[in-house]
Structures are given as C-alpha cells and as structure tokens.
Amino acid sequence: MPDLPGLPVTELLALDRRHVWHPYGPMPGRVDPLVVESASGVRLRTSSGDLVDGMSSWWSAIHGYNHPVLNEAAREQLGRMSHVMFGGLTHEPAVRLAKLLVDMSPEGLEHVFLADSGSVSVEVAVKMCLQYWRSLGRPGKRRLLTWRGGYHGDTWQPMSVCDPEGGMHELWSGVLPRQVFVDAPPADYEESYADQLRTAIERHADQLAAVIVEPVVQGAGGMRFHSPAYLRVLREACDAHDVLLVFDEIATGFGRTGALFAAEHAAVTPDVMCVGKALTGGYLTMAATLCTPRVAEGISRGEVPVLAHGPTFMGNPLAASVACASIGVLLGQDWLAEVKRIEAGLRDGLAPARELPGVRDVRVLGAIGVVQLDHEVDMRAATEAAVREGVWLRPFRDLVYTMPPYVTGDEDVARIARAVCAAAKEG
Ligand SMILES: *Cc1c(COP(=O)(O)O)cnc(C)c1O
C-alpha cells in the first residue's frame, strides 16, 4: 500500500467503501462519510471544510478535541505503560479513577468495575444483578424490567432492554431474552403512570432481577426527557419488592443534563450505575459499572463468590489516566455554569424551529437540544444543510439533535442551533 497519510480523499473513500464497515451501516456503504483530517477545540477539520462539532462525538468529547491537559495525561502515561493486564496487577491510574468515580457519584456506590465500552458495562451490570439473586438462592429472579424508548447498547443483554419497536434491534425479537416492558415515561409527572410502574414491578417481582433505565434523558432510543420524580417511584417500588435498580448514565453522566449524574435530579442512588461515553473526555474507549456494598457482598457470599468477568483491556492505564484528567478538567471549572450557558443558547437558538412546518416538538435540557419532526428525517439532506452552516450533526429517525462540547462558545452554540433549524427544515 502506498503512503497512506498522503492518500487523496477520493482514493481513501474508495478504500473505505470497499473494506470498512461503519456504525449501523450496510457493506459496502451507500453514502460517503466525511473524511476527518484532525480536530481541535470544537472544530473538526474535514473534507467538507472546518465544522463545529454539534455531537461531541456521540456525547463523549465534552472538553473538545486536542485538549492540552488530556493530551499531556496520555503522553505522560504512554511514557510509563500503555497497558498491563489487570488480573493480579493494579496501577495508580485505575485506582485513582475508581476513587474519583466513587467520590463524585451518588452516595452509596462504592465499588467500581472498569469495562471497555458502554455496552460491556451494561452486560456487567446485568450479570451483577442476576448473580446477586442467584447467590441469595433466588435464581428465578433473572428478568429485567424497563420502559420503552430506551437505549442501552448493541450487545445481547443491552439489546434486550432497548426499545423493542422502531429501534435498531427489532430484527432480534424472538432471539433476545424476553424482558418486561412498560410504556415510555411521559415528560411530566403523572400519578397514573407512576402507578403503572409500581404495578408492573409488583406483578413481576418474583421474576425480576432488576429495573434498568436511563435516568431523566433517554438518548439514542428517541431523545425523550422525563420527570425525575419517576426515579423515586422506581426506587421505592424496587425496595418494596426486592428488585435491584440500575441506572444507565452512559449518555447522561458527567454533567450533560445539568447535574453531574442525572440520578441527582431525584436524589436517588441506584444499586448499580453504568458510566461511559464522556468518561475519558472522548479520547479512549472505557466505561465503568459501579455498585453498592449490598450488591458486591451478595455476589461474594454466593456459591460462586466471584464476578466472572475480566476483559483483556480491563482498567487500561492509558484510558484511566485520561479519564482522571478529564474528570479533573470537568470538576476544576464551573461546569454547571457552562452547561447552563449552552442550555440558554440552545433554548434561544432552537425557538424558531417551533414555527417550521413538519416540526412536532422542540426540547432542551442541560447541554442537549432536540428538534423532533413529524416524519423520518432525510439524513443526507439534513446533514448537508448542517454542513452548509459549518456544523457537524448526525440526525436519526425523526430527530435532529445536538449535545455540544461544554467548551463551545456562544457564537458556535448559535451556529449549531442555526444548523439544527436548517437541518430540520431541509430534512
Ligand atoms: C451509547 C450508550 C450505550 C452503549 O455504549 P457503547 O460504548 O456504545 O457500547 C449504552 N447506554 C447508553 C444510555 C448509551 O447512550
């Protein structure tokens, strides 16, 4: 192969099409992706010019790209070791990261399992919950309950609790484990819906290992927001009926919704919590499953007193170092003020979308802005409209949405909002 760095864009795209599978895509791909040459701050340098990133690379790049502090953490760790196995060995980056996560997460979560992606952290959460009840002599408690409209990842257990209709995993109904679904949560608190949650948990309690939900914001399942009060209803019903509660904070964690973790909006501690995406500031793949001493002790008292899970790259020192640095950058600033500033900018900037034909809803929470259409978005037209405004967006289904890096300046927030409106109009 000739010198790749100098590969002309047309050739690179031809090879990409021939050999490279992209997310949720066919092989070969039907639409050429943009080629990214580099990224810095909130800008991606692409084959279609410099674009302000409205996606934070799927919720993860909260501090923007090429951040000096994160770069330095990676470089410094690279000089020590990129990786060592985690079985029988430990190291400061992993220990420091676990301590940071315990300190910043809701009170009561004390143990940390480091996983290599969000989906794997959900697998681990499910394994913890099923094994907890097995250890306590109640192996019949092995199903999960969730509400519709959720997204928890693309491996098998997570797929089984993703929205069963209209989602990406419809194809697999009949193959996946059959979980218990209740209706998607309404935006505002409704006592009748709270009753539906209570009744479903009570009715299925003998079979339920856990309830698993995304707190406050449902991400890739439909970008829906709901009242935090439902989280308290879940906590109480789970406690009343011997069911564990899992919060998937992979999208919502690290400040995105205007709380460090969305659970804080309801002052609820789950038994198990998953984090990922922004954990390393978008630098490297790493996620974590946190749990309470009750869960850990339950498992460790069982016939098989170990959690049989151990990814090859568990606790990766490079990722853990960057994660520590990213959390340091986050907590070292008034992150809430930044998120609120972006929230205000998105509220202003997206307001005109309400007047557009074909727009069903416009909603903003924290540094998340969503325009929901009354039809399936034309991805290509919407993406091109955003690119013309100098912004990178990745709409899906009936949604044009943005979750910008927290470092996005006011002018760029306004630009992103203009691009969302343009994409909603043309898509
Ligand atoms: C993205 C996401 C996942 C899956 O994480 P991956 O790192 O893509 O495997 C799980 N749950 C939620 C809520 C997510 O947003």
Side-chain angles (χ1 to χ4, degrees), residues 147 183-194 196-197 216 218 224-228 230:
W147 46 40
D183 292 342
D188 298 319
Y189 186 79
E190 293 171 19
E191 195 57 38
S192 60
Y193 180 76
Q196 194 186 327
L197 293 176
V216 183
Q218 294 180 293
R224 294 163 50 95
F225 308 154
H226 57 258
S227 164
Y230 293 133

Side-chain angles (χ1 to χ4, degrees), residues 59 117-120 122 151-153 214 248 250-251 277:
W59 311 84
S117 76
S119 300
V120 172
V122 174
Y151 176 77
H152 297 282
E214 294 156 276
D248 178 347
I250 292 168
K277 289 205 161 95

Side-chain angles (χ1 to χ4, degrees), residues 24 58-59 116-122 150-155 158 162 212-215 217-221 248-252 274-277 285-287:
Y24 310 108
W58 277 336
W59 311 84
D116 34 15
S117 76
S119 300
V120 172
S121 76
V122 174
Y151 176 77
H152 297 282
D154 297 336
T155 60
C162 287
I212 178 167
V213 296
E214 294 156 276
V217 175
Q218 294 180 293
D248 178 347
E249 294 246 16
I250 292 168
T252 49
C274 299
V275 296
K277 289 205 161 95
T285 176
M286 178 174 261

Side-chain angles (χ1 to χ4, degrees), residues 83-239:
H83 184 67
V84 291
M85 63 185 282
F86 212 45
L89 301 177
T90 196
H91 43 78
E92 188 182 321
V95 173
R96 270 181 43 222
L97 177 58
K99 176 79 167 74
L100 280 171
L101 288 173
V102 166
D103 288 348
M104 74 192 294
S105 62
E107 188 70 36
L109 294 165
E110 285 186 27
H111 308 298
V112 182
F113 188 101
L114 296 170
D116 34 15
S117 76
S119 300
V120 172
S121 76
V122 174
E123 297 279 1
V124 169
V126 172
K127 191 182 274 188
M128 280 179 177
C129 293
L130 267 63
Q131 191 172 340
Y132 173 83
W133 293 112
R134 218 157 259 253
S135 293
L136 266 63
R138 300 180 71 181
K141 286 170 74 66
R142 58 198 196 73
R143 290 180 85 192
L144 304 170
L145 182 146
T146 188
W147 46 40
R148 288 173 188 269
Y151 176 77
H152 297 282
D154 297 336
T155 60
W156 291 95
Q157 287 290 342
M159 274 205 290
S160 77
V161 281
C162 287
D163 193 287
E165 283 159 31
M168 292 172 284
H169 305 313
E170 210 170 351
L171 181 64
W172 299 109
S173 59
V175 179
L176 294 169
R178 296 236 265 163
Q179 314 294 13
V180 181
F181 287 91
V182 295
D183 292 342
D188 298 319
Y189 186 79
E190 293 171 19
E191 195 57 38
S192 60
Y193 180 76
D195 279 336
Q196 194 186 327
L197 293 176
R198 294 183 187 106
T199 308
I201 292 169
E202 180 175 9
R203 180 179 314 144
H204 298 280
D206 284 350
Q207 302 177 352
L208 287 183
V211 169
I212 178 167
V213 296
E214 294 156 276
V216 183
V217 175
Q218 294 180 293
M223 301 298 297
R224 294 163 50 95
F225 308 154
H226 57 258
S227 164
Y230 293 133
L231 305 177
R232 279 194 293 276
V233 173
L234 291 177
R235 180 70 277 176
E236 281 162 22
C238 284
D239 287 343

